[in-house]
Amino acid sequence: MSIPQEFYPSQDDLLYEEEILRNPFSLKLWWRYLIARSEAPFKKRFVIYERALKALPGSYKLWHAYLRERLDLVRNLPIIHSQYETLNNTFERALVTMHKMPRIWIMYLKTLTEQKLLTKTRRTFDRALCALPVTQHDRIWEPYLQFVSQKGVPIETSLRVYRRYLKYDPTHIEDFIEFLVDSSLWQEAAERLAAVLNDDRFFSIKGKTKHRLWLELCDLLTRHANEVSGLNVDGIIRGGLRKFTDEVGRLWTSLAEYYIRRGLHEKARDIFEEGMSTVTTVRDFGVIFDSYSQFEESMLAFKMQEMDISDEEEEDDTENGIDEDEDIRLKGKSSGDDFEKRILHGFWLNDKNDTDLRLARLEYLMDRRPELANSVLLRQNPHNVEQWHRRVKLFEGNPTKQILTYTEAVRTIDPMKAVGKPHTLWVAFAKLYESHKDLANARVIFDKAVQVNFKTVDNLASLWCEWAEMELRHKNFKGALELMRRATAEPSVEVKRRVASDGNEPVQMKLHKSLKLWSFYVDLEESLGTLESTRAVYERILDLRIATAQIIINYAYFLEEHKYFEDAFKVYERGVKIFKYPHVKDIWVTYLSKFVKRYGKTKLERARELFENAVETAPADQVKTLYLQYAKLEEDYGLAKRAMNVYDQATKAVPNHEKLGMYQIYIARAAEIFGVPKTRQIYEQAIESGLPDKDVRTMCLKYAELEKSLGEIDRARGLLIHASQYADPRSDSEFWNKWHEFEVQHGNEETFREMLRIKRSVSTSYSQTHFILPEYLMQKDQTVNLDDAKDKLKQAGVPEDEMAALERQLAPAANNSGAKDRKVGFVSAGVESQPDANHEDIELPEESDSEDEKVEIAQKDVPSAVFGGLVRKRDETVTEQNGEADAKEESRLGALERIKRMKKHEMGMEF
């Protein structure tokens, strides 16, 4: 065979050819030759490859490059082209020496797979597995499985290949199962999946859980119930029910669906019923119930459709001349089929028209839904009292079912684990018998109920009270009292000893100390018993030390109703000794009001002792009511002076937030009894008693109104000046408006200027104080204490000269006058001029600069009526002192000057 001339070496190839001739077994030289001729036609390179492989048949590099170029050559050619045959022969020649190279095998196998040569490909895969070591089989099995999974490959071939593969690597059983499912081989798929689930050592390489595999098996068995045989489907699914509890509803429906597909409809109904009666979650119950109802609806629809078709057939028979009234027995043998159709199949036991039965089944299922849902909740917690009550309501109108439900409930519930109040079930059970006029059984129920060891004493006490109320409703008063005596009887010593030895004390041992029971008992005795029996019950309550403040008050009321007043007061005395505040407050208030109402003036000293004892033991926040009662007693039956003393004590005893109200009551009573001037001392005492800033300001305004009404304008102005140090012009505009109106009515130009100067001074002091002092000292309505402010500033490092300036700013404007010895925080009643004041720096409003405007001061005489019955006493007192003129002069003095004179007079008396 002649070789074409173009395949011979050219002049450029002589260099490479000479080197190869010198060393034909050098791979490097052959590789350089091939790289140099990379642009040459493949036919020429083919000759070089063949020469090189003939010299070096064991070179993997040459074979791999040669085969790659061969593959690229046939890539775009049809499968039937002859080049594919040449390629296959080349692969076969390569494998003679390269049979241990998996990459060559893979290239060959993929090429054969693309050529769709099934037998040759399968045999080549087998040869590769035989040639390669087992450690490299995994590289062959992957394309092998892809090959057998293609369409057109016989199922039997694929199965045999997969089974061989599982012997090599059993962990890929899931791939085999998926292949079986895709190939509709349901029987073997179910068997393999069941075997996987039975293998405790199985681990899913795809991350599937045992639960998911169970669900897949159940779906497989139920959807292909007729194709799968030889497996205990019922046992498999029930095993899943026992093992997996979070998808119980789905497993029950799968089992029922299996029987439905097998045509066992009654068995499917039994499965649905069993599932609804065993699930413990509402979600699972909903899944089963919805499937059950859908099954019944589909069965009913199918039957109705079937009946429509049979009706059409009967109409056709009628049209064909078949008469139903004709006696078929008179016909010949040819009428055998008609006889079987008319007589045997028309028999009522063989009647296929069971539409009414199917409809009744569906209605019965829907009616039972609330009951079945309640059963699920009770299976979750059988000790839930509320659910048992709801279950009883479901059977309303059916007393038999209600009695059975109550019986089951009281047997099932453990009182120690009950959620709710278990005694209400016993009560409702007894009331059911009572509503049907069966008192004997109702008493039996109550008698059994009171023997139950409940968790709390209150539950048992409620049962006894309900039993007694039932007896009262049926006019059995004696029986109700006897029940209460039984319930409140203290256990004997022998019973206590026996219970102590057992170590488990039931609630019946503590029942005799139940306040609820004793309260009901005492109410019964008051209504039905005698005076002695009722008193005995009250005394027993006190002896057991379970009485409350209300019990004490009720006992005293009961004795008062029967005219035992002293005994009632003794009960009050026992109550105030037993209880402490705040419980004893109601007892004291009731006791004192009853005592005063009973005896009035006859036992005044005893009443005073009671009040003194009450106010001594009462805390500050509870004492106001007692002091008001005490003062009312003195006003009505005692001395007015003692009443004033009581009010004075009350103002000192009550807390700060109640002092203003107490002073107002004190002032109102003093004005009514002794006249308005008597209230001056009270006002001064209130102002100096340490009230909050807001209350001091309010008290000064009221005091100023009083002085203005009495015509003491200067004293009123002095009070306003004193109150100004507690009124910030930015927030207390009401105070400054009232002072403005006061000056307009009763002042002059000088006093008006003084008011404006004070207002500016106070405003400046507040603004600077707000800037310097901490925020918590500058809260609204809080007293700005100068000493506290100085201490805080000193701690903050403020120099002494700045603190002195601040002190001058905080001091009231009136205190900057010549009266340097007066106490900071109070001003005199009169207005004193300030020679050092710079009047030129004061800017007055335009209205005040007018020379034509003149403020007229209205002069009024003080009416004698304001002094009440003290006019005569005042005149006598003034006469005894320095005469009427001195008395009038003293009345015009400021509050501070009068206090000083009184102190000097007292000091002279002491000497």
Side-chain angles (χ1 to χ4, degrees):
M1 181 179 178
S2 61
I3 300 176
Q5 188 66 31
E6 64 268 14
F7 293 164
Y8 283 93
S10 63
Q11 190 68 29
D12 298 332
D13 299 334
L14 293 179
L15 177 62
Y16 299 103
E17 290 290 343
E18 290 177 356
E19 291 180 350
I20 290 173
L21 287 174
R22 285 194 294 266
N23 189 4
F25 303 106
S26 176
L27 174 63
K28 184 177 181 181
L29 297 178
W30 285 108
W31 195 251
R32 284 172 56 190
Y33 192 6
L34 289 170
I35 292 175
R37 296 294 169 259
S38 59
E39 300 297 331
F42 176 74
K43 291 183 177 181
K44 187 172 183 179
R45 289 172 56 81
F46 160 72
V47 174
I48 299 173
Y49 270 119
E50 289 291 341
R51 289 171 59 198
L53 289 171
K54 187 176 181 180
L56 298 170
S59 175
Y60 171 78
K61 190 172 184 179
L62 287 175
W63 278 115
H64 187 267
Y66 185 27
L67 294 173
R68 292 287 299 177
E69 290 194 24
R70 280 284 187 184
L71 286 172
D72 292 338
L73 180 65
V74 302
R75 191 174 304 278
N76 296 322
L77 298 177
I79 297 295
I80 60 175
H81 198 276
S82 60
Q83 285 293 338
Y84 276 99
E85 184 67 26
T86 306
L87 176 64
N88 295 339
N89 292 333
T90 306
F91 270 111
E92 290 291 343
R93 288 192 296 117
L95 289 173
V96 172
T97 56
M98 296 289 108
H99 58 277
K100 295 296 182 182
M101 299 299 172
R103 187 61 196 161
I104 304 297
W105 281 109
I106 293 172
M107 293 171 61
Y108 187 24
L109 293 171
K110 286 185 177 180
T111 304
L112 291 177
T113 303
E114 293 175 359
Q115 297 177 42
K116 306 297 182 182
L117 302 175
L118 298 182
T119 303
K120 186 173 183 178
T121 306
R122 177 177 58 80
R123 291 175 177 175
T124 306
F125 271 112
D126 294 340
R127 287 168 53 200
L129 292 174
C130 293
L132 293 174
V134 71
T135 54
Q136 295 180 347
H137 281 193
D138 56 335
R139 303 180 64 178
I140 304 298
W141 276 115
E142 183 178 356
Y144 200 178
L145 295 178
Q146 293 177 359
F147 163 68
V148 298
S149 299
Q150 292 179 345
K151 292 183 178 180
V153 178
I155 296 297
E156 187 63 28
T157 301
S158 301
L159 287 176
R160 291 177 180 273
V161 171
Y162 264 106
R163 288 167 185 162
R164 284 177 59 196
Y165 175 60
L166 290 179
K167 292 180 180 179
Y168 165 72
D169 188 2
T171 59
H172 288 75
I173 183 66
E174 293 172 271
D175 295 332
F176 184 37
I177 294 174
E178 290 180 0
F179 169 76
L180 293 173
V181 172
D182 294 338
S183 302
S184 301
L185 300 174
W186 315 116
Q187 179 68 35
E188 188 170 357
E191 292 175 355
R192 292 282 184 173
L193 191 53
V196 164
L197 290 172
N198 290 328
D199 187 4
D200 296 333
R201 296 175 297 176
F202 174 76
F203 178 77
S204 175
I205 60 175
K206 295 189 176 182
K208 293 182 179 181
T209 62
K210 281 288 188 73
H211 178 252
R212 182 177 176 184
L213 294 173
W214 267 103
L215 294 180
E216 291 180 1
L217 177 59
C218 293
D219 292 340
L220 181 63
L221 294 175
T222 54
R223 292 177 182 175
H224 308 284
N226 295 322
E227 289 87 357
V228 178
S229 62
L231 291 177
N232 185 5
V233 178
D234 191 281
I236 291 173
I237 297 181
R238 289 183 184 274
L241 289 170
R242 290 189 295 270
K243 188 175 293 187
F244 307 105
T245 58
D246 53 345
E247 286 287 347
V248 174
R250 182 176 174 184
L251 292 175
W252 279 113
T253 54
S254 298
L255 182 57
E257 184 181 357
Y258 168 76
Y259 285 112
I260 292 173
R261 293 182 182 274
R262 296 294 297 269
L264 303 175
H265 297 153
E266 294 300 327
K267 183 64 176 177
R269 289 190 181 92
D270 294 340
I271 295 298
F272 278 126
E273 292 289 343
E274 183 181 357
M276 289 190 298
S277 62
T278 56
V279 294
T280 57
T281 62
V282 178
R283 181 170 63 90
D284 291 333
F285 168 77
V287 171
I288 299 175
F289 186 86
D290 292 342
S291 299
Y292 193 8
S293 59
Q294 186 177 1
F295 164 68
E296 292 291 355
E297 289 175 359
S298 61
M299 292 296 293
L300 179 60
F302 173 77
K303 194 63 180 179
M304 294 180 69
Q305 183 179 4
E306 185 181 15
M307 293 305 300
D308 292 339
I309 295 174
S310 62
D311 291 342
E312 293 177 0
E313 291 179 354
E314 290 180 1
E315 291 178 0
D316 294 340
D317 293 341
T318 304
E319 292 176 359
N320 293 332
I322 299 175
D323 188 5
E324 293 183 358
D325 296 333
E326 184 180 358
D327 193 353
I328 301 176
R329 293 173 295 178
L330 300 177
K331 293 186 176 182
K333 295 182 180 180
S334 61
S335 63
D337 296 337
D338 294 336
F339 178 79
E340 183 179 357
K341 183 177 180 180
R342 293 293 184 87
I343 301 301
L344 297 181
H345 294 289
F347 190 54
W348 68 273
L349 279 177
N350 200 27
D351 188 8
K352 294 184 179 181
N353 187 9
D354 56 351
T355 308
D356 295 338
L357 175 62
R358 295 173 187 262
L359 183 61
R361 278 176 175 167
L362 180 59
E363 292 178 354
Y364 179 62
L365 177 63
M366 293 301 177
D367 293 340
R368 285 192 303 144
R369 181 184 176 89
E371 179 185 350
L372 294 172
N374 180 262
S375 300
V376 174
L377 296 175
L378 287 176
R379 282 194 293 274
Q380 288 181 357
N381 184 8
H383 308 290
N384 193 329
V385 177
E386 180 61 27
Q387 293 300 331
W388 282 109
H389 281 296
R390 293 180 181 177
R391 187 173 184 82
V392 173
K393 287 183 180 179
L394 294 176
F395 303 122
E396 192 170 358
N398 189 351
T400 304
K401 292 282 289 183
Q402 287 182 327
I403 290 173
L404 293 175
T405 304
Y406 276 126
T407 305
E408 184 182 1
V410 297
R411 287 178 179 176
T412 304
I413 291 180
D414 184 357
M416 298 301 173
K417 301 178 183 178
V419 178
K421 298 179 179 179
H423 73 279
T424 56
L425 283 171
W426 289 98
V427 173
F429 195 5
K431 285 184 177 180
L432 177 63
Y433 279 109
E434 182 188 358
S435 62
H436 290 82
K437 311 299 181 183
D438 191 355
L439 293 181
N441 280 325
R443 292 189 180 100
V444 170
I445 295 300
F446 274 119
D447 187 57
K448 290 183 178 180
V450 296
Q451 299 175 21
V452 177
N453 184 17
F454 290 98
K455 192 173 183 179
T456 61
V457 180
D458 187 67
N459 292 341
L460 185 58
S462 300
L463 272 174
W464 282 102
C465 294
E466 291 287 347
W467 192 357
E469 286 180 359
M470 185 190 74
E471 299 294 347
L472 292 176
R473 286 194 294 269
H474 295 278
K475 311 299 181 183
N476 187 9
F477 305 120
K478 185 177 180 181
L481 285 173
E482 185 61 30
L483 283 175
M484 288 296 102
R485 292 191 186 98
R486 279 180 54 192
T488 55
E490 185 175 357
S492 63
V493 178
E494 182 181 356
V495 174
K496 290 182 179 179
R497 187 183 301 113
R498 189 184 311 117
V499 171
S501 62
D502 294 340
N504 186 12
E505 184 179 9
V507 293
Q508 282 77 5
M509 301 300 295
K510 306 174 185 177
L511 182 64
H512 66 284
K513 290 187 177 181
S514 172
L515 180 61
K516 182 177 184 178
L517 198 62
W518 281 104
S519 300
F520 187 84
Y521 187 17
V522 79
D523 289 342
L524 279 184
E525 288 289 353
E526 286 187 15
S527 303
L528 307 174
T530 61
L531 174 63
E532 290 75 13
S533 62
T534 306
R535 291 190 65 173
V537 174
Y538 273 118
E539 291 296 334
R540 181 60 179 159
I541 294 174
L542 294 175
D543 293 341
L544 290 173
R545 297 182 181 181
I546 59 174
T548 61
Q550 189 61 44
I551 292 290
I552 298 294
I553 296 173
N554 292 344
Y555 189 12
Y557 277 175
F558 173 74
L559 294 175
E560 289 174 8
E561 290 176 359
H562 291 81
K563 312 300 182 184
Y564 288 88
F565 297 101
E566 283 299 327
D567 291 344
F569 295 147
K570 289 179 181 178
V571 172
Y572 283 125
E573 290 287 346
R574 293 175 67 180
V576 297
K577 291 178 181 179
I578 294 173
F579 297 100
K580 304 297 181 184
Y581 274 92
H583 309 290
V584 76
K585 179 183 177 182
D586 294 335
I587 300 178
W588 269 120
V589 172
T590 308
Y591 181 20
L592 295 173
S593 60
K594 292 289 184 180
F595 189 88
V596 172
K597 182 179 179 182
R598 171 67 180 166
Y599 293 109
K601 191 176 183 179
T602 57
K603 293 186 179 181
L604 186 59
E605 289 301 325
R606 182 179 171 186
R608 286 171 177 167
E609 290 179 1
L610 290 175
F611 275 107
E612 290 293 339
N613 189 15
V615 297
E616 285 177 4
T617 58
D621 57 342
Q622 304 283 345
V623 79
K624 182 177 180 180
T625 305
L626 297 174
Y627 269 115
L628 293 177
Q629 280 186 285
Y630 192 5
K632 186 74 168 71
L633 170 70
E634 294 293 349
E635 289 179 13
D636 293 343
Y637 305 108
L639 301 175
K641 185 177 180 180
R642 291 182 67 93
M644 294 299 104
N645 291 336
V646 172
Y647 282 122
D648 185 59
Q649 294 176 13
T651 57
K652 298 174 183 177
V654 297
N656 288 336
H657 66 277
E658 293 183 355
K659 282 187 176 181
L660 178 62
M662 198 69 230
Y663 270 115
Q664 290 175 348
I665 297 173
Y666 186 11
I667 291 169
R669 302 306 300 159
E672 183 178 350
I673 296 173
F674 296 106
V676 176
K678 178 66 176 176
T679 60
R680 283 173 171 165
Q681 297 178 0
I682 305 174
Y683 275 117
E684 293 170 5
Q685 177 185 344
I687 293 171
E688 296 179 349
S689 64
L691 291 172
D693 288 355
K694 182 176 68 175
D695 296 342
V696 171
R697 188 169 62 249
T698 303
M699 193 60 67
C700 288
L701 287 175
K702 290 183 177 291
Y703 194 5
E705 289 292 333
L706 171 66
E707 296 294 354
K708 186 176 72 173
S709 66
L710 296 176
E712 298 289 347
I713 303 302
D714 292 341
R715 293 169 64 88
R717 184 177 291 110
L719 290 168
L720 292 174
I721 292 173
H722 174 69
S724 64
Q725 62 181 320
Y726 305 108
D728 186 359
R730 295 172 297 181
S731 58
D732 301 320
S733 59
E734 183 181 358
F735 168 80
W736 294 99
N737 292 336
K738 289 184 179 180
W739 194 359
H740 184 275
E741 294 175 1
F742 172 81
E743 294 296 345
V744 169
Q745 293 180 5
H746 304 289
N748 51 33
E749 184 177 352
E750 182 179 356
T751 59
F752 197 86
R753 287 176 180 273
E754 181 69 12
M755 181 202 62
L756 294 177
R757 189 193 66 77
I758 292 173
K759 183 176 181 180
R760 289 188 177 187
S761 176
V762 172
S763 178
T764 303
S765 65
Y766 266 98
S767 62
Q768 292 184 358
T769 304
H770 274 248
F771 178 75
I772 297 175
L773 292 182
E775 183 179 357
Y776 69 89
L777 292 176
M778 290 294 102
Q779 294 178 357
K780 188 178 179 182
D781 298 332
Q782 184 174 349
T783 305
V784 180
N785 193 326
L786 188 58
D787 295 335
D788 294 341
K790 289 172 67 179
D791 294 339
K792 297 293 182 182
L793 292 173
K794 189 173 182 180
Q795 295 175 5
V798 180
E800 294 289 340
D801 52 350
E802 295 185 12
M803 288 194 288
L806 177 61
E807 182 179 356
R808 289 194 299 273
Q809 293 171 0
L810 288 176
N815 292 343
N816 294 333
S817 63
K820 298 292 184 180
D821 56 343
R822 284 201 298 271
K823 181 173 63 175
V824 176
F826 199 84
V827 297
S828 64
V831 178
E832 300 179 7
S833 62
Q834 296 182 350
D836 297 335
N838 187 3
H839 297 285
E840 295 178 358
D841 296 336
I842 301 176
E843 297 180 3
L844 295 176
E846 295 179 359
E847 292 82 356
S848 63
D849 292 336
S850 176
E851 296 181 356
D852 298 337
E853 181 182 356
K854 294 183 180 180
V855 180
E856 296 183 359
I857 301 175
Q859 301 290 337
K860 295 183 180 180
D861 295 333
V862 179
S864 59
V866 301
F867 298 101
L870 300 178
V871 177
R872 181 176 53 80
K873 294 182 180 179
R874 189 195 65 181
D875 294 342
E876 293 177 358
T877 305
V878 171
T879 304
E880 291 176 357
Q881 294 178 356
N882 297 328
E884 296 180 0
D886 294 337
K888 291 180 181 179
E889 182 179 358
E890 183 180 358
S891 64
R892 292 189 179 92
L893 291 176
L896 185 60
E897 292 298 328
R898 289 193 295 107
I899 292 173
K900 287 182 177 181
R901 289 195 178 188
M902 290 175 62
K903 290 183 177 179
K904 289 180 180 179
H905 179 69
E906 291 175 357
M907 293 175 63
M909 292 290 291
E910 292 178 358
F911 286 103

